[in-house]
Amino acid sequence: MERKILLSEAEMPEFWYNIMADMPNKPLPPLHPGTKEPIGPEMLAPLFPMELIKQEVSTDKWVAIPEAVREIYKIWRPSPLYRAVGLEKLLDTPAKIYYKYEGVSPAGSHKPNTAVAQAYYNAQEGVKKITTETGAGQWGSALSFACQIFGIECEVFMVKVSYNQKPYRKILMNTYGAKVHASPTNLTEAGKQILAQDPNSPGSLGIAISEAVEVAAMNEDTKYALGSVLNHVLMHQTIIGQESIKQLEKVGDLPDIVVAPFGGGSNFAGIAFPFLRLNFDEGKKIRCIAVEPASCPKLTRGKFMYDFGDTVGMTPLLPMYTLGHNFVPSPIHAGGLRYHGAGAIISQLLKDGLIEAQSQYQNEVFEAGMKFAKAEGIIPAPEANHAIATVIQEAEKAKQEGKSKTILFNLCGHGNFDMTAYEAYLSGKLVDHEVTAAEIEASLAEIAPLQV
Ligand SMILES: *Cc1c(COP(=O)(O)O)cnc(C)c1O
């Protein structure tokens, strides 16, 4: 049995897949928060280079990956796809389990797939500096690496609690030449406003986004980059699923179920959208499951509404499953999954029943990650452990039912910088936090006035 299925550089996909072309119902348009009218691409021009704005609204099914981007991708792509032989044995399951491993990228996650593309388009349009936010530090590391390659300055607003808890991610960004601030800062009006209300604010992704957007909006030669949620970001990640399809073809397999953890939707989209294309084009019935933490359950318990992408309310209003932009999730260890909303495309797909969502508790998640690490050797990112928890449950179901089943999941990053999270689990300090219905209702009531 082949354990590791590889593609050559020549077999690397040449196009990204744009699911907008195939969606039965397109996402609702983003709205101007003042007029509540759909915004035109020109409103995004201060923040993003023109080419990315075009991609954001494109309905072309295939978008060519620039040669210069493919050249950088070759540092780690095509990434390996593994048969989880050890995990199957440990679980004694008739299910076949495969995983696509994105932890081989320089930053250790799937995020460089879009960071490199975004830095490239910015460089093409003469941008000198890119600002961004980062939570756990994975997006900041990926963008720092990509900016360095294309000679662009990178300024990162890192959520303060992570800045203090994860010094190594900050140093990684510094090593790639980026400037990193603990957010909220007093460098921006948004940061000052938050600090005035709470000088000890631990920060949040929403606040850090507000800061990064403000700096980009105020400076002519500076743009902003987002690591998830937006249509073009999701599209850049589809190289993951396209490679997976080619790799599984080599061993004559196709999954019944595709699983990925869910923060803003980019790694889920990356692995799942190319398989959804097979559902659209070839009538396949592949189940795609997004897995979120029980403490930040926007897909399973949030509401489909218009909401801001950030906390202060600087972004357009986006149609999405959300817990409300003021929702502050409990400080769980999967920092990348602590976002209040989901992308417009993902939200529409979920609303239309074309994808599924589940939530998992933190202790179950880390128990799954421990099993995987012991059986396969790779230490998964805490985010990825959410997917592994669902994979194990599906594999156990297959065993009870005595049925074979093929499962593919996205091992979207390694957890080598996340030892404090594993330490907390090992010493029994992780708590299973569940949001109450009243907390969700109260947070959603605050965004009711934003509706059209
Ligand atoms: C950022 C991140 C996530 C969450 O973001 P998505 O856009 O939902 O993928 C999950 N896992 C890892 C390893 C990440 O770095």
Side-chain angles (χ1 to χ4, degrees):
M1 188 192 305
E2 263 180 279
R3 192 151 186 155
K4 178 156 99 280
I5 305 150
L6 300 174
L7 296 177
S8 69
E9 284 180 8
E11 291 172 296
M12 190 163 76
E14 292 174 18
F15 294 85
W16 291 302
Y17 167 57
N18 183 6
I19 199 168
M20 286 270 267
D22 290 331
M23 290 173 72
N25 296 313
K26 309 290 178 232
L28 300 173
L31 302 181
H32 186 282
T35 64
K36 308 257 172 94
E37 293 295 325
I39 60 158
E42 72 288 346
M43 252 200 76
L44 297 171
L47 296 186
F48 300 103
M50 225 39 232
E51 195 53 40
L52 290 176
I53 294 172
K54 278 192 209 149
Q55 289 181 4
E56 188 62 21
V57 296
S58 166
T59 51
D60 295 345
K61 184 156 178 165
W62 300 102
V63 174
I65 306 175
E67 206 38 55
V69 171
R70 294 182 80 243
E71 208 38 59
I72 307 303
Y73 277 177
K74 285 179 189 168
I75 297 174
W76 73 98
R77 305 212 73 86
S79 68
L81 184 125
Y82 288 89
R83 175 85 184 260
V85 177
L87 185 63
E88 287 175 22
K89 208 156 138 196
L90 179 81
L91 300 174
D92 186 26
T93 173
K96 286 196 259 181
I97 304 174
Y98 292 96
Y99 59 97
K100 180 72 164 162
Y101 186 39
E102 291 294 309
V104 291
S105 82
S109 75
H110 63 288
K111 296 233 167 62
N113 296 330
T114 184
V116 169
Q118 293 191 46
Y120 166 79
Y121 291 118
N122 275 285
Q124 286 289 297
E125 295 182 27
V127 173
K128 295 284 177 288
K129 180 160 112 180
I130 300 180
T131 60
T132 199
E133 72 290 336
T134 198
Q138 274 150 331
W139 169 240
S141 320
L143 190 69
S144 304
F145 152 70
C147 283
Q148 181 60 30
I149 284 190
F150 290 104
I152 301 173
E153 251 182 83
C154 184
E155 187 169 343
V156 182
F157 290 86
M158 185 172 187
V159 178
K160 190 182 277 171
V161 53
S162 301
Y163 183 97
N164 293 330
Q165 278 172 2
K166 306 200 174 197
Y168 295 126
R169 276 279 169 195
K170 171 189 173 273
I171 296 164
L172 179 57
M173 290 182 253
N174 293 149
T175 304
Y176 288 137
K179 201 184 276 175
V180 186
H181 309 290
S183 164
T185 71
N186 48 31
L187 301 169
T188 66
E189 292 309 314
K192 283 180 202 162
Q193 189 184 322
I194 298 288
L195 288 173
Q197 289 161 10
D198 177 9
N200 297 317
S201 165
S204 72
L205 262 188
I207 295 169
I209 295 175
S210 304
E211 292 207 89
V213 165
E214 183 182 323
V215 173
M218 305 288 280
N219 294 284
E220 191 63 35
D221 60 354
T222 303
K223 301 274 184 208
Y224 164 74
L226 195 61
S228 187
V229 180
L230 295 180
N231 303 351
H232 66 271
V233 180
L234 273 48
M235 185 182 76
H236 296 156
Q237 295 293 352
T238 57
I239 191 165
I240 301 173
Q242 292 187 71
E243 283 181 4
S244 303
I245 290 173
K246 285 191 180 193
Q247 285 161 310
L248 287 170
E249 270 172 5
K250 290 199 175 209
V251 291
D253 230 334
L254 191 69
D256 300 299
I257 306 178
V258 176
V259 186
F262 194 94
S266 76
N267 92 87
F268 170 77
I271 197 157
F273 286 4
F275 288 96
L276 288 174
R277 184 185 73 76
L278 300 183
N279 290 357
F280 292 133
D281 283 356
E282 299 173 17
K284 299 271 194 287
K285 298 211 157 46
I286 302 163
R287 292 173 59 200
C288 296
I289 308 175
V291 190
E292 62 186 6
S295 56
C296 193
K298 61 260 187 167
L299 296 179
T300 52
R301 297 176 64 203
K303 213 164 149 191
F304 187 85
M305 291 173 88
Y306 269 103
D307 194 6
F308 289 114
D310 69 325
T311 301
V312 176
M314 299 181 66
T315 70
L317 288 172
L318 305 166
M320 57 181 173
Y321 278 93
T322 181
L323 294 164
H325 62 271
N326 291 325
F327 182 83
V328 180
S330 75
I332 57 160
H333 276 287
L337 308 186
R338 298 182 68 229
Y339 184 65
H340 66 270
I345 289 181
I346 298 275
S347 296
Q348 190 64 47
L349 291 171
L350 183 65
K351 194 159 178 272
D352 290 340
L354 298 170
I355 59 172
E356 301 171 36
Q358 292 182 3
S359 69
Q360 297 284 359
Y361 289 100
Q362 203 168 211
N363 276 296
E364 174 116 15
V365 156
F366 274 86
E367 191 186 318
M370 292 290 295
K371 279 187 185 154
F372 183 88
K374 285 176 178 159
E376 296 290 322
I378 299 170
I379 308 228
E383 291 83 359
N385 288 343
H386 289 73
I388 299 172
T390 289
V391 168
I392 291 178
Q393 287 159 6
E394 287 291 337
E396 281 170 349
K397 221 187 282 169
K399 186 177 173 181
Q400 283 157 14
E401 294 167 356
K403 276 199 214 132
S404 176
K405 173 158 47 170
T406 302
I407 306 170
L408 167 69
F409 77 93
N410 200 7
L411 184 52
C412 51
H414 67 64
N416 296 358
F417 286 101
D418 301 287
M419 286 303 116
T420 44
Y422 280 87
E423 202 275 329
Y425 171 76
L426 288 169
S427 57
K429 284 189 210 134
L430 282 191
V431 280
D432 282 336
H433 178 83
E434 184 161 14
V435 202
T436 66
E439 282 169 329
I440 293 178
E441 253 168 57
S443 180
L444 289 177
E446 289 176 39
I447 62 169
L450 299 176
Q451 306 313 304
V452 274

